[in-house]
Amino acid sequence: MAGFLHPRRGGLPLSRTVLILGATSAIASALAREFAAHKFDLILGGRDREELSALASDLSLRYGVRTAILLLDALNTASHASILGSFLSEKGHTLEGAVVCIGELGNQAKGQSDWGEARRILETNFTGCVSLLNILANHFEARRAGFICALSSVAGDRGRQSNYLYGAAKAGLSAFLQGLRNRLYHAHVKVITIKPGFVDTRMTYGRPGLLLVASPERVGKGIFRAVVKGKDVVYLPWFWRFIMLMVRSIPEAIFKRLRT
Ligand SMILES: NC(=O)c1ccc[n+]([C@@H]2O[C@H](COP(=O)([O-])OP(=O)(O)OC[C@H]3O[C@@H](n4cnc5c(N)ncnc54)[C@H](OP(=O)(O)O)[C@@H]3O)[C@@H](O)[C@H]2O)c1
């Protein structure tokens, strides 16, 4: 693993085990394959026991790494301390870091009149993730080592009429991660924010008008690289940084008139 040490560039001495929450996501599965190909053992977290078990067996068979699953639901925040907290107090010492891939685009149009849908989008992408990230943050802060990576989105960089419930939750998540990075810097824990553009997953399947759609494999490799290099905020693919720079620079007086 010596090739993965980049101490002078603020990178991480990577080894051992990584926890991935939302592991059944297409992006997370691609990332899990990337970690496994580099001989990391994996804990795959999520709410679908069958899918997680199938993924865990596949990774173990293909790459000869050890895998286990952890069942949790982001929306059941009351259970997080007992499930994730207990797991970390028992097995957390083996963890190099954690990646939170949980997310749900939801139905913007429905959410505008149905509070249940709006709340599900906000809670899945923001409060549910924050509840899990708080537990992870306290764990790694106490250990004074490790990394926390989470998938936000370019949708959080500017509110658009087509997805502003999801975008608002991701904007909140990005701000949370920014503050967390500032806090954990002093405990030598890296916090990495990933902002993907459009990715070809079940989240975007069948949605019209998507441009520059990337494969989950490309994004998975990008996340792995970002973790290894100990980056702060990474747009994936890279050109989204410049697209969003342009999108953010459009004056509000003009932006509000656009059909976005
Ligand atoms: N696809 C894109 O264009 C895109 C762009 C920017 C950012 N992202 C972000 O990338 C991440 C991965 O998304 P993806 O595109 O790979 O979509 P995906 O395949 O739909 O994955 C979503 C993941 O979130 C999990 N999840 C949803 N609600 C949950 C809950 N209540 N409890 C636990 N897990 C829950 C899903 O688990 P189940 O399998 O149990 O449903 C699944 O693992 C998300 O955070 C998403 O917001 C995606």
Side-chain angles (χ1 to χ4, degrees), residues 1 14-20 31-32 34-44 56 59-60 63-68 87 94-98 147 224:
M1 300 311 293
L14 295 180
S15 64
R16 301 180 298 182
T17 307
V18 170
L19 169 69
I20 301 183
L31 175 65
E34 202 59 37
F35 273 115
H38 289 88
K39 295 296 172 205
F40 285 81
D41 294 333
L42 290 161
I43 312 291
L44 306 172
L59 290 169
S60 293
Y63 300 101
V65 296
R66 283 180 300 180
T67 54
F87 166 79
T94 65
L95 279 189
E96 201 62 44
F147 73 86
F224 181 76

Side-chain angles (χ1 to χ4, degrees), residues 21-28 45-48 51 72-76 100-105 124-125 151-155 166 170 194-204 210:
L21 299 180
T24 52
S25 120
I27 296 173
R47 58 186 174 175
D48 187 332
E51 279 257 345
L72 53 78
D73 186 330
L75 294 175
N76 189 355
V100 178
C101 299
I102 293 167
E104 166 77 66
L105 186 56
T124 305
N125 293 291
L151 272 61
S152 185
S153 171
V154 295
Y166 173 77
K170 290 295 195 183
I194 304 292
K195 294 186 178 183
F198 300 125
V199 190
D200 185 14
T201 68
R202 76 188 135 128
M203 183 175 279
T204 51
L210 302 186

Side-chain angles (χ1 to χ4, degrees), residues 74-199:
L75 294 175
N76 189 355
T77 51
S79 71
H80 292 173
S82 61
I83 298 175
L84 182 59
S86 309
F87 166 79
L88 290 172
S89 17
E90 279 172 34
K91 306 254 169 63
H93 59 280
T94 65
L95 279 189
E96 201 62 44
V99 188
V100 178
C101 299
I102 293 167
E104 166 77 66
L105 186 56
N107 185 327
Q108 169 69 34
K110 189 176 173 203
Q112 287 165 201
S113 52
D114 175 345
W115 174 239
E117 178 65 5
R119 186 173 163 168
R120 198 174 62 84
I121 296 171
L122 297 172
E123 290 186 352
T124 305
N125 293 291
F126 184 56
T127 47
C129 288
V130 167
S131 165
L132 295 165
L133 286 162
N134 272 342
I135 296 170
L136 291 168
N138 293 337
H139 170 77
F140 287 112
E141 185 179 45
R143 284 200 24 216
R144 300 187 66 77
F147 73 86
I148 295 173
C149 174
L151 272 61
S152 185
S153 171
V154 295
D157 279 15
R158 189 144 199 185
R160 298 192 296 131
Q161 62 183 314
S162 55
N163 69 357
Y164 63 83
L165 284 165
Y166 173 77
K170 290 295 195 183
L173 183 63
S174 293
F176 174 88
L177 292 167
Q178 195 169 37
L180 188 64
R181 177 177 310 113
N182 189 196
R183 169 186 155 197
L184 295 187
Y185 174 82
H186 305 282
H188 312 291
V189 179
K190 289 296 303 184
V191 176
I192 303 135
T193 306
I194 304 292
K195 294 186 178 183
F198 300 125
V199 190

Side-chain angles (χ1 to χ4, degrees), residues 239-258:
F239 49 77
W240 280 96
R241 180 178 291 277
F242 299 99
I243 294 175
M244 294 318 295
L245 196 63
M246 284 188 287
V247 170
R248 283 198 310 274
S249 70
I250 300 171
E252 193 64 15
I254 297 172
F255 196 78
K256 71 181 180 188
R257 294 164 208 268
L258 304 177

